[in-house]
Amino acid sequence: MNWMKMPPLAALRAFSAFADSRNLVDAGAALNVSHAAVSQQLRLLEKHMGLKLLDRRGRAMQLTAEGEELARALQTGFARISQAVEDLTSAREARPLHVTCTPTFAANWLMPRLAQFRTAQPDIDLVIDPTGGLVDPTPGGVDLGLRFGTGGWPGVESEMLVRSGLVILAAPDLVPGNRVTAPEDLLSYPWIEELGTTEATQWLRKRGIDDAKIRTRIALPGNLLLDGARDGQGIAVTVRVFAEPDLQAGRLVELFCEEEGTGYHIVTHPSPLRRPARAFIRWLKQQDI
């Protein structure tokens, strides 16, 4: 197709709107412009095509034979475009809302609250995708993520939802008397880590400790991390807000705490969000943290 020879889309839209109603005022109302603007676009179209598309001799403008032919083609073309747009946007809105988050966040924060969202928005289907790996939201894919860190990730937009630092903890029986006084003391203990995350490794390396010297380690899904810690299976690193009930009840003890402006963020793609995603984000922000 030679796009350089195509008339301006605004002129074609104005002509098609006029052809539908055969009235400048009605065409202007359909396009939300003045009837004078429609008239100007019609003249521009005739000039561009070098054809007389309208007969202006009577009290009301009529289409010429060439104008009728163009009107039929535009009606067919615009109708197909309109249907395709409607089909695509309807499918886009009907697609389930895809949310990615860590298993820890899903088990300890999201799932206990999710029934409230289902009650408030029963028409929105959800896919909750718990994974320890980073998954960027993309148009037509993951709608939003709930990601731990300090924010500012490249290529996405992020907004703090749950502000919380990291806590290094263990069962009281694993460290009787809490004899741990320095990070180096933790090397003699087993560790449990959430699959797909690196919080434990990063915490140790920031303190100049080679995590390869850890005696043993177990990697398991994040929703089982606190269970393993309570059972005394090892030292665990997790977000403090999730461990707070266990710490207060004495089921776990805090060995070290890391406060660095970290927390869980709502992560989205910079492109416009679908209605279900906007509704879910509004609901997230309304929750008691």
Side-chain angles (χ1 to χ4, degrees), residues 18-84:
F18 173 79
D20 286 343
S21 63
R22 307 298 168 112
N23 183 281
L24 285 174
V25 175
D26 291 345
L31 297 172
N32 197 29
V33 298
S34 68
H35 70 279
V38 175
S39 182
Q40 181 182 19
Q41 290 294 336
L42 297 181
R43 293 185 183 279
L44 286 174
L45 181 61
E46 287 182 308
K47 181 178 179 181
H48 182 94
M49 296 184 66
L51 292 173
K52 186 175 182 181
L53 303 173
L54 298 156
D55 186 346
R56 297 176 173 83
R57 290 176 298 181
R59 295 181 58 184
M61 285 194 300
Q62 302 293 326
L63 298 183
T64 63
E66 292 83 355
E68 292 285 1
E69 183 177 349
L70 179 61
R72 288 192 295 271
L74 290 176
Q75 184 180 44
T76 300
F78 281 131
R80 292 186 64 180
I81 293 171
S82 177
Q83 186 61 57

Coordinates of all heavy atoms in Angstrom, one line a residue, residues 18-84:
F18 N -20.3 12.1 7.3 CA -21.3 12.9 6.5 C -22.1 11.9 5.7 O -23.3 12.0 5.6 CB -20.6 13.9 5.7 CG -21.6 14.6 4.7 CD1 -22.4 15.6 5.2 CD2 -21.7 14.2 3.4 CE1 -23.4 16.2 4.3 CE2 -22.6 14.8 2.5 CZ -23.4 15.8 3.0
A19 N -21.5 10.9 5.1 CA -22.2 10.0 4.2 C -23.2 9.2 5.0 O -24.2 8.8 4.5 CB -21.2 9.0 3.6
D20 N -22.9 8.9 6.3 CA -23.9 8.2 7.1 C -25.1 9.0 7.4 O -26.2 8.4 7.4 CB -23.2 7.8 8.5 CG -22.2 6.7 8.3 OD1 -22.2 6.0 7.3 OD2 -21.4 6.5 9.3
S21 N -25.0 10.3 7.6 CA -26.1 11.1 8.0 C -26.6 12.0 7.0 O -27.8 12.5 7.0 CB -25.7 11.9 9.3 OG -24.7 12.8 8.9
R22 N -25.8 12.3 6.0 CA -26.1 13.3 4.9 C -26.4 14.7 5.5 O -27.2 15.4 4.9 CB -27.2 12.8 4.0 CG -27.1 11.4 3.5 CD -25.8 11.3 2.6 NE -25.5 9.9 2.3 CZ -25.6 9.3 1.1 NH1 -26.0 10.1 0.0 NH2 -25.2 8.1 0.9
N23 N -25.8 15.0 6.6 CA -26.0 16.2 7.3 C -24.8 16.7 8.0 O -24.2 15.9 8.8 CB -27.2 16.1 8.3 CG -27.6 17.4 9.0 OD1 -26.9 17.8 9.9 ND2 -28.7 18.0 8.5
L24 N -24.3 17.9 7.8 CA -23.1 18.4 8.3 C -23.2 18.5 9.9 O -22.2 18.2 10.6 CB -22.7 19.8 7.8 CG -22.2 19.8 6.3 CD1 -22.0 21.2 5.8 CD2 -20.9 19.1 6.3
V25 N -24.3 19.0 10.4 CA -24.4 19.1 11.8 C -24.4 17.8 12.5 O -23.7 17.6 13.5 CB -25.8 19.9 12.2 CG1 -26.0 19.9 13.7 CG2 -25.7 21.3 11.6
D26 N -25.1 16.8 12.0 CA -25.1 15.5 12.6 C -23.7 14.8 12.5 O -23.3 14.1 13.4 CB -26.2 14.6 11.9 CG -27.6 15.0 12.2 OD1 -27.8 15.8 13.1 OD2 -28.5 14.6 11.5
A27 N -23.0 15.1 11.4 CA -21.7 14.5 11.2 C -20.8 15.1 12.2 O -19.9 14.4 12.8 CB -21.2 14.7 9.8
G28 N -20.9 16.4 12.4 CA -20.1 17.1 13.4 C -20.3 16.6 14.8 O -19.4 16.3 15.6
A29 N -21.6 16.3 15.2 CA -21.9 15.8 16.5 C -21.4 14.4 16.7 O -20.9 14.0 17.8 CB -23.5 15.8 16.6
A30 N -21.4 13.6 15.6 CA -20.9 12.2 15.7 C -19.4 12.2 16.0 O -18.8 11.3 16.6 CB -21.2 11.5 14.4
L31 N -18.7 13.3 15.4 CA -17.2 13.3 15.6 C -16.8 14.3 16.7 O -15.6 14.4 17.0 CB -16.6 13.8 14.3 CG -16.8 12.9 13.0 CD1 -16.2 13.6 11.8 CD2 -16.0 11.6 13.3
N32 N -17.8 14.9 17.3 CA -17.5 15.9 18.4 C -16.7 17.1 17.9 O -15.8 17.5 18.6 CB -16.8 15.2 19.6 CG -16.9 16.0 20.9 OD1 -17.9 16.7 21.1 ND2 -15.9 15.9 21.7
V33 N -17.1 17.5 16.7 CA -16.4 18.7 16.2 C -17.6 19.6 15.6 O -18.7 19.2 15.5 CB -15.4 18.4 15.1 CG1 -14.3 17.6 15.7 CG2 -16.1 17.7 13.9
S34 N -17.2 20.8 15.2 CA -18.2 21.7 14.6 C -18.6 21.3 13.2 O -17.8 20.6 12.5 CB -17.7 23.1 14.6 OG -16.7 23.3 13.7
H35 N -19.8 21.7 12.7 CA -20.1 21.4 11.3 C -19.2 22.1 10.3 O -18.9 21.6 9.2 CB -21.6 21.7 11.0 CG -21.8 23.2 10.9 ND1 -22.0 24.0 12.1 CD2 -21.9 24.1 9.9 CE1 -22.2 25.3 11.7 NE2 -22.1 25.3 10.4
A36 N -18.6 23.2 10.7 CA -17.7 23.9 9.9 C -16.4 23.1 9.7 O -15.8 23.1 8.6 CB -17.3 25.3 10.5
A37 N -16.0 22.5 10.8 CA -14.8 21.6 10.7 C -15.0 20.4 9.8 O -14.1 20.1 9.0 CB -14.4 21.1 12.1
V38 N -16.2 19.9 9.8 CA -16.5 18.8 8.9 C -16.4 19.3 7.5 O -15.9 18.6 6.6 CB -17.9 18.2 9.2 CG1 -18.3 17.1 8.2 CG2 -17.9 17.6 10.6
S39 N -17.0 20.4 7.2 CA -17.1 21.0 5.9 C -15.6 21.2 5.4 O -15.3 21.0 4.2 CB -17.8 22.3 5.9 OG -17.9 22.9 4.6
Q40 N -14.8 21.7 6.2 CA -13.4 22.0 5.8 C -12.7 20.7 5.5 O -11.9 20.6 4.5 CB -12.6 22.7 7.0 CG -11.2 23.0 6.6 CD -10.4 23.6 7.8 OE1 -10.9 23.5 8.9 NE2 -9.3 24.3 7.5
Q41 N -12.9 19.6 6.2 CA -12.3 18.3 5.9 C -12.8 17.7 4.6 O -12.0 17.1 3.9 CB -12.6 17.3 7.1 CG -11.8 17.6 8.4 CD -10.3 17.5 8.2 OE1 -9.8 16.8 7.4 NE2 -9.6 18.2 9.1
L42 N -14.1 18.0 4.3 CA -14.6 17.5 3.0 C -13.9 18.2 1.8 O -13.6 17.5 0.8 CB -16.1 17.7 3.0 CG -17.0 17.0 4.0 CD1 -18.4 17.3 3.8 CD2 -16.7 15.5 4.0
R43 N -13.7 19.5 2.0 CA -13.0 20.2 0.9 C -11.6 19.7 0.8 O -11.1 19.6 -0.4 CB -13.1 21.7 1.2 CG -14.5 22.3 1.1 CD -14.5 23.8 1.2 NE -15.9 24.3 1.2 CZ -16.6 24.5 0.1 NH1 -16.0 24.2 -1.1 NH2 -17.8 25.0 0.1
L44 N -10.9 19.5 1.9 CA -9.5 19.0 1.9 C -9.5 17.6 1.2 O -8.5 17.3 0.4 CB -9.0 18.9 3.3 CG -8.6 20.2 4.0 CD1 -8.2 19.9 5.4 CD2 -7.5 20.9 3.2
L45 N -10.5 16.8 1.4 CA -10.5 15.4 0.8 C -10.7 15.6 -0.7 O -10.0 14.9 -1.5 CB -11.6 14.6 1.4 CG -11.7 13.2 0.9 CD1 -10.5 12.4 1.1 CD2 -13.0 12.5 1.5
E46 N -11.6 16.4 -1.1 CA -11.8 16.6 -2.6 C -10.5 17.1 -3.3 O -10.1 16.7 -4.4 CB -12.9 17.6 -2.8 CG -14.3 16.9 -2.5 CD -15.4 17.9 -2.8 OE1 -15.4 19.1 -2.3 OE2 -16.4 17.5 -3.5
K47 N -9.8 18.1 -2.6 CA -8.6 18.6 -3.1 C -7.5 17.6 -3.2 O -6.8 17.5 -4.2 CB -8.2 19.8 -2.3 CG -6.9 20.5 -2.8 CD -6.5 21.7 -1.9 CE -5.2 22.3 -2.4 NZ -4.8 23.5 -1.5
H48 N -7.4 16.7 -2.2 CA -6.4 15.7 -2.1 C -6.6 14.7 -3.3 O -5.7 14.3 -3.9 CB -6.4 15.0 -0.8 CG -5.3 13.9 -0.6 ND1 -4.1 14.2 -0.1 CD2 -5.3 12.6 -1.0 CE1 -3.3 13.1 -0.1 NE2 -4.1 12.1 -0.7
M49 N -7.9 14.3 -3.5 CA -8.2 13.3 -4.5 C -8.3 13.8 -5.9 O -8.3 13.1 -6.8 CB -9.4 12.5 -4.0 CG -9.3 11.8 -2.7 SD -10.8 10.8 -2.3 CE -10.8 9.5 -3.6
G50 N -8.5 15.1 -5.9 CA -8.7 15.7 -7.3 C -10.1 15.3 -7.9 O -10.2 15.2 -9.1
L51 N -11.1 15.0 -7.0 CA -12.4 14.6 -7.5 C -13.5 15.4 -6.8 O -13.3 15.9 -5.7 CB -12.6 13.1 -7.1 CG -11.8 12.1 -7.9 CD1 -12.0 10.7 -7.2 CD2 -12.1 12.1 -9.4
K52 N -14.6 15.5 -7.5 CA -15.8 16.2 -6.9 C -16.6 15.1 -6.3 O -17.2 14.3 -6.9 CB -16.6 16.9 -8.0 CG -17.7 17.7 -7.4 CD -18.4 18.5 -8.5 CE -19.5 19.4 -7.9 NZ -20.3 20.2 -8.9
L53 N -16.6 15.0 -5.0 CA -17.3 14.0 -4.2 C -18.7 14.5 -3.8 O -19.5 13.6 -3.4 CB -16.5 13.6 -3.0 CG -15.0 13.1 -3.3 CD1 -14.3 12.9 -2.0 CD2 -15.1 11.8 -4.1
L54 N -18.9 15.8 -3.8 CA -20.2 16.4 -3.2 C -20.8 17.3 -4.2 O -20.1 18.1 -4.9 CB -19.9 17.1 -1.9 CG -19.4 16.2 -0.8 CD1 -18.6 17.0 0.2 CD2 -20.5 15.4 -0.1
D55 N -22.1 17.3 -4.4 CA -22.8 18.2 -5.2 C -23.4 19.2 -4.3 O -24.3 18.9 -3.5 CB -23.9 17.5 -6.0 CG -24.6 18.4 -7.0 OD1 -24.5 19.6 -6.9 OD2 -25.3 17.8 -7.8
R56 N -23.0 20.5 -4.4 CA -23.4 21.5 -3.4 C -24.4 22.5 -4.1 O -24.7 23.5 -3.5 CB -22.2 22.3 -3.0 CG -21.2 21.5 -2.2 CD -19.9 22.4 -1.8 NE -19.0 21.7 -0.9 CZ -18.1 20.8 -1.3 NH1 -18.0 20.5 -2.6 NH2 -17.3 20.2 -0.4
R57 N -25.0 22.1 -5.2 CA -25.9 23.0 -5.9 C -27.3 23.1 -5.2 O -27.9 24.2 -5.3 CB -26.1 22.5 -7.3 CG -24.8 22.7 -8.2 CD -25.0 22.2 -9.6 NE -25.3 20.7 -9.6 CZ -25.4 20.0 -10.6 NH1 -25.4 20.6 -11.8 NH2 -25.6 18.7 -10.6
G58 N -27.7 22.2 -4.5 CA -29.1 22.2 -3.9 C -29.0 22.8 -2.5 O -28.0 23.2 -2.0
R59 N -30.2 22.7 -1.8 CA -30.3 23.2 -0.4 C -29.5 22.3 0.5 O -29.0 22.7 1.5 CB -31.7 23.2 0.0 CG -32.5 24.3 -0.8 CD -34.0 24.3 -0.3 NE -34.0 24.6 1.2 CZ -35.2 24.7 1.9 NH1 -36.3 24.3 1.3 NH2 -35.1 25.0 3.1
A60 N -29.4 21.0 0.1 CA -28.6 20.1 0.9 C -27.6 19.4 0.0 O -27.9 19.0 -1.1 CB -29.5 19.0 1.5
M61 N -26.4 19.2 0.6 CA -25.3 18.6 -0.2 C -25.7 17.1 -0.5 O -26.2 16.4 0.3 CB -24.0 18.6 0.5 CG -23.3 20.0 0.5 SD -21.6 19.9 1.0 CE -21.8 19.3 2.7
Q62 N -25.3 16.7 -1.7 CA -25.6 15.3 -2.1 C -24.2 14.7 -2.5 O -23.3 15.4 -3.0 CB -26.6 15.2 -3.3 CG -27.9 15.8 -3.0 CD -28.7 15.1 -1.9 OE1 -28.6 13.8 -1.9 NE2 -29.4 15.8 -1.1
L63 N -24.1 13.4 -2.4 CA -22.9 12.7 -2.9 C -23.0 12.5 -4.4 O -24.0 12.2 -5.0 CB -22.8 11.3 -2.2 CG -22.6 11.3 -0.7 CD1 -22.4 9.9 -0.3 CD2 -21.5 12.2 -0.2
T64 N -21.8 12.7 -5.1 CA -21.7 12.4 -6.5 C -21.6 10.9 -6.6 O -21.5 10.2 -5.6 CB -20.5 13.1 -7.1 OG1 -19.3 12.6 -6.5 CG2 -20.6 14.7 -6.9
A65 N -21.6 10.4 -7.8 CA -21.4 9.0 -8.1 C -20.0 8.6 -7.5 O -19.9 7.5 -6.9 CB -21.4 8.7 -9.6
E66 N -19.0 9.4 -7.7 CA -17.7 9.0 -7.1 C -17.8 9.1 -5.5 O -17.1 8.2 -4.9 CB -16.6 10.0 -7.5 CG -16.3 9.9 -9.0 CD -17.2 10.7 -9.9 OE1 -18.2 11.2 -9.4 OE2 -17.0 10.8 -11.1
G67 N -18.5 10.0 -5.0 CA -18.7 10.1 -3.6 C -19.4 8.9 -3.0 O -19.1 8.4 -1.9
E68 N -20.4 8.4 -3.7 CA -21.2 7.2 -3.3 C -20.3 6.0 -3.2 O -20.3 5.2 -2.3 CB -22.4 7.0 -4.2 CG -23.5 8.0 -4.1 CD -24.3 7.8 -2.8 OE1 -24.0 6.9 -2.0 OE2 -25.3 8.6 -2.7
E69 N -19.4 5.9 -4.3 CA -18.5 4.8 -4.3 C -17.5 4.8 -3.2 O -17.2 3.8 -2.5 CB -17.7 4.8 -5.7 CG -16.8 3.6 -5.8 CD -16.1 3.6 -7.2 OE1 -16.5 4.4 -8.1 OE2 -15.2 2.8 -7.4
L70 N -17.0 6.0 -2.9 CA -16.0 6.1 -1.8 C -16.7 5.9 -0.4 O -16.2 5.2 0.5 CB -15.4 7.5 -1.8 CG -14.4 7.8 -0.6 CD1 -13.2 6.8 -0.7 CD2 -13.9 9.3 -0.7
A71 N -18.0 6.3 -0.3 CA -18.7 6.1 0.9 C -18.9 4.7 1.2 O -18.8 4.2 2.4 CB -20.1 6.9 0.8
R72 N -19.3 3.9 0.2 CA -19.5 2.4 0.4 C -18.2 1.8 0.8 O -18.2 0.9 1.7 CB -20.0 1.8 -0.9 CG -21.4 2.1 -1.2 CD -22.0 1.3 -2.3 NE -21.3 1.5 -3.6 CZ -21.7 2.4 -4.5 NH1 -22.7 3.2 -4.3 NH2 -21.0 2.5 -5.6
A73 N -17.1 2.2 0.2 CA -15.8 1.6 0.6 C -15.4 1.9 2.0 O -14.9 1.1 2.8 CB -14.7 2.0 -0.4
L74 N -15.6 3.2 2.4 CA -15.3 3.6 3.7 C -16.2 2.9 4.8 O -15.7 2.6 5.9 CB -15.4 5.1 3.9 CG -14.3 5.9 3.1 CD1 -14.5 7.4 3.2 CD2 -12.9 5.6 3.6
Q75 N -17.4 2.8 4.5 CA -18.4 2.2 5.4 C -17.9 0.7 5.7 O -17.9 0.3 6.8 CB -19.8 2.2 4.8 CG -20.8 1.6 5.8 CD -22.2 1.6 5.2 OE1 -22.4 1.3 4.1 NE2 -23.2 2.1 6.0
T76 N -17.5 0.0 4.6 CA -17.0 -1.4 4.8 C -15.7 -1.4 5.6 O -15.6 -2.2 6.5 CB -16.8 -2.0 3.5 OG1 -18.1 -2.1 2.7 CG2 -16.3 -3.5 3.6
G77 N -14.8 -0.5 5.2 CA -13.5 -0.5 5.9 C -13.6 -0.1 7.4 O -13.0 -0.8 8.2
F78 N -14.3 1.0 7.6 CA -14.4 1.5 9.0 C -15.2 0.5 9.9 O -14.9 0.3 11.1 CB -15.1 2.8 9.1 CG -14.1 4.0 8.8 CD1 -14.5 5.0 7.8 CD2 -12.9 4.1 9.4 CE1 -13.6 6.0 7.5 CE2 -12.0 5.1 9.0 CZ -12.4 6.1 8.1
A79 N -16.2 -0.2 9.3 CA -17.0 -1.2 10.0 C -16.1 -2.4 10.5 O -16.1 -2.8 11.6 CB -18.1 -1.7 9.2
R80 N -15.2 -2.8 9.5 CA -14.3 -3.9 9.9 C -13.3 -3.5 10.9 O -12.9 -4.2 11.8 CB -13.6 -4.4 8.6 CG -14.5 -5.0 7.6 CD -13.7 -5.6 6.4 NE -12.8 -6.7 6.9 CZ -12.0 -7.4 6.1 NH1 -12.0 -7.0 4.8 NH2 -11.2 -8.3 6.5
I81 N -12.8 -2.2 10.8 CA -11.8 -1.7 11.8 C -12.5 -1.6 13.2 O -12.0 -2.0 14.2 CB -11.3 -0.3 11.4 CG1 -10.4 -0.5 10.2 CG2 -10.5 0.3 12.5 CD1 -10.0 0.9 9.6
S82 N -13.7 -1.1 13.2 CA -14.5 -0.9 14.4 C -14.7 -2.3 15.1 O -14.6 -2.4 16.3 CB -15.8 -0.2 14.2 OG -16.6 -0.1 15.4
Q83 N -15.1 -3.3 14.3 CA -15.3 -4.6 14.9 C -14.1 -5.2 15.4 O -14.1 -5.9 16.5 CB -15.9 -5.5 13.8 CG -16.4 -6.9 14.3 CD -17.4 -6.8 15.4 OE1 -18.5 -6.2 15.1 NE2 -17.2 -7.3 16.6
A84 N -13.0 -5.1 14.7 CA -11.7 -5.6 15.1 C -11.2 -5.0 16.5 O -10.8 -5.6 17.4 CB -10.6 -5.4 14.1

